Structure formats: structure tokens, C-alpha cells
Amino acid sequence: MPNALLKFAYDAPVPSVLTLVVGNQLRVKLESIDKRQKLVAVSDIPNLLQVTSTTHNARADSWAFVVTALREGNAKLAIQVQQGVGAPVLTITPPLVTVNIKKAVVLPDAASDAGLLIRLFLAEAPAPQRWKVLGVKDVAQAQQGMRLMRRVIVNRLNSGNTKEFGAANAGSLADIVRGSDGGQVQFRGFDHYPQLDAEKRSQIDDVMALVNDATNTQWHASYAAFYEAAFAAATESLPPDPSPTGLYGWRTDKRGAPSVEFKPFTSSGGNTFFMHSRYRLRP
């Protein structure tokens, strides 16, 4: 009895349980199918998981299907065999695929503090594909860096002299992030927030594309965890400042201090965080 293995388009085998995000299109295939057999992909709940395309390559004896996740929920996908006369019985592995469909992740309102901070974290913290090169150990270390970023923003707002940080008379976190003095932008690409420059907008869009692409089995889980870490760091109660006098700046590791008044305290998540020689946390 011949057996056909259900595969992704890039040849890895399809597991019996997988996750998609609403809007994802999954491409699967079966190869070396007897010419006397016809294959049909069937979804048990078509308004959740819809078969949108079938391709048969008679020369290569292969079948390919595209299924689209339409709505949140759980559905099952099966490949049915219409047996041709005289063809051997064909079994398909896995015989049934359970598909868990999640809602797409949407960034919080840009006007909210959470929306501002998450966008800043996604732009300033190295994304998972860069962790190995930059020495970021895992998502916990990346999240710690985000928490320190938030602490820097809050400390600047509470410094009593926001002009020092390019944001005279700042009354909000957004005012601090938009800080720009004499053309010296404090957070590149964010000086006109909620409008972002093209580079930062593209960077954030690239991250969100992988957060919402569960068909990318290599990177989706890492990026989903990265986003969850950013969301938690932006919305949790503000953790205590780990430094003795307060953190007031950060730069990418190995780029050095913003000025001689900034003193390095620690590196975390690909960035170095600095204290300031003239500013202290208020009790």
C-alpha cells in the first residue's frame, strides 16, 4: 500500500496540528501520486479554512493545494483520494490536519502610551533574526532591554529638566520620544511621532509581518514571542530602576556614550544603557 507524505511547499512535512493567523495562505503538496488517482483537499469548516486553489501537474505526478485562513477558530483539513480503477490503495500522512486559526495581531492605538512604547521597542530592540550576531541570548534578555528603554523615557520625563534631552516643557512620554533640539533628534525616526520615517515604519512593518505569518515556521514563533515581550514591557507596572542613580539614555552596543556626561551602566538586548552625571532619580 503506497503512502504519500503531505508537505509544505518547501518540502518539510506537514504536522498533524498546526497554527495559522487569519489571512495566512498555506501551500501544501503531495508528490509521486499514481496517475489513476485524483486528490481533493477538503475543509470541515470552509468559512474558517477555505481551499482556494488546486494544481495538478500530470507530468510530475504531483498535487498542490492552497488553503486560506479566513476567521479565528479551529478547523480540519483532509486530503481525500478518489481511487482510479486498478490503482493501489493510497494512504496519506497525516490523514487529518487540525488547524488552529488565531486573530491577526494589531498594534495598539498610536496615540496611547502602549502604542508608542511598543513601536519604539520594535524599532530599537534587535529583532530575533539579529540576536545571534548581536549576542542577544533569548527573548527574556530582549525584553529586559525593552524595560530599560521604558525606564529611560520615564526618567527623562521626570528629570525636572526635559530640555536637557531635547524636549523642553515635555508633558508626556510622546513629547520625550519626539525630542529634537537644533536638529539633534533623540530617537531617530520618531521626531514627528505618531508619523514615523520610512525606515522605521518599514522596520516595524517587517516585524509585524512575521508576527502574523504562521506559515513561516522558521521565524513566526520567535517573532510572536518578541511582540508579546514588547507588549508586556509596554503595559506592565513600571519595574524599579536597576541603576543606583537612574538610567537616562541608550545606544546600540559598541557605539559609545551620547556624550561625556553619560556613564555606561549595563548592556542588555543589544543596547548599552547609561546613567547621567548630573541627574538622579527623584524619591
Side-chain angles (χ1 to χ4, degrees):
M1 180 183 297
N3 178 69
L5 184 63
L6 186 63
K7 298 179 181 179
F8 294 110
Y10 52 88
D11 287 332
V14 175
S16 59
V17 179
L18 56 82
T19 297
L20 294 178
V21 175
V22 171
N24 287 174
Q25 285 193 330
L26 179 67
R27 292 168 170 80
V28 297
K29 65 180 182 179
L30 296 108
E31 298 171 312
S32 301
I33 305 301
D34 191 292
K35 293 182 183 296
R36 292 167 290 182
Q37 290 162 331
K38 180 180 179 180
L39 304 187
V40 179
V42 178
S43 166
D44 69 331
I45 311 179
N47 65 341
L48 293 187
L49 187 71
Q50 181 184 60
V51 180
T52 56
S53 177
T54 301
T55 303
H56 176 223
N57 186 327
R59 178 173 294 182
D61 295 333
S62 66
W63 291 79
F65 305 96
V66 177
V67 295
T68 303
L70 299 178
R71 292 169 45 201
E72 182 183 16
N74 301 305
K76 291 180 171 57
L77 174 69
I79 308 298
Q80 297 179 349
V81 181
Q82 295 180 359
Q83 195 73 22
V85 176
V89 175
L90 176 68
T91 61
I92 295 174
T93 303
L96 196 67
V97 179
T98 298
V99 184
N100 303 313
I101 305 172
K102 303 187 300 183
K103 289 191 296 186
V105 176
V106 178
L107 288 164
D109 185 350
S112 67
D113 283 349
L116 164 69
L117 290 170
I118 288 175
R119 287 168 173 83
L120 188 66
F121 297 161
L122 298 184
E124 290 284 324
Q129 284 166 302
R130 299 178 61 210
W131 286 355
K132 186 175 181 179
V133 172
L134 296 177
V136 180
K137 181 181 177 182
D138 53 25
V139 70
Q141 192 178 82
Q143 184 181 55
Q144 178 60 15
M146 297 172 190
R147 287 171 171 153
L148 297 183
M149 290 179 192
R150 182 180 174 191
R151 173 49 76 176
V152 167
I153 303 300
V154 171
N155 287 355
R156 288 187 174 193
L157 180 62
N158 296 334
S159 66
N161 184 18
T162 57
K163 184 178 180 180
E164 175 81 35
F165 307 104
N169 303 314
S172 67
L173 299 184
D175 289 340
I176 294 294
V177 170
R178 284 191 287 260
S180 178
D181 185 17
Q184 183 66 36
V185 174
Q186 297 296 308
F187 300 97
R188 187 162 60 90
F190 281 79
D191 45 315
H192 296 293
Y193 187 83
Q195 180 180 339
L196 298 170
D197 74 6
E199 178 186 352
K200 293 301 182 184
R201 186 171 62 249
S202 176
Q203 186 177 339
I204 293 168
D205 287 347
D206 288 347
V207 170
M208 294 305 298
L210 284 168
V211 169
N212 285 316
D213 184 8
T215 68
N216 188 322
T217 54
Q218 181 179 5
W219 289 109
H220 168 70
S222 296
Y223 274 79
F226 182 59
Y227 177 85
E228 289 300 322
F231 184 85
T235 57
E236 67 190 4
S237 297
L238 184 67
D241 195 308
S243 71
T245 60
L247 298 175
Y248 289 90
W250 77 79
R251 297 192 87 182
T252 304
D253 282 347
K254 300 180 181 179
R255 283 192 60 198
S259 75
V260 295
E261 292 185 304
F262 286 88
K263 309 300 179 184
F265 172 70
T266 189
S267 290
S268 184
N271 289 289
T272 300
F273 293 84
F274 298 88
M275 300 179 292
H276 197 283
S277 61
R278 291 186 288 105
Y279 289 92
R280 300 289 184 273
L281 280 177
R282 293 182 175 186

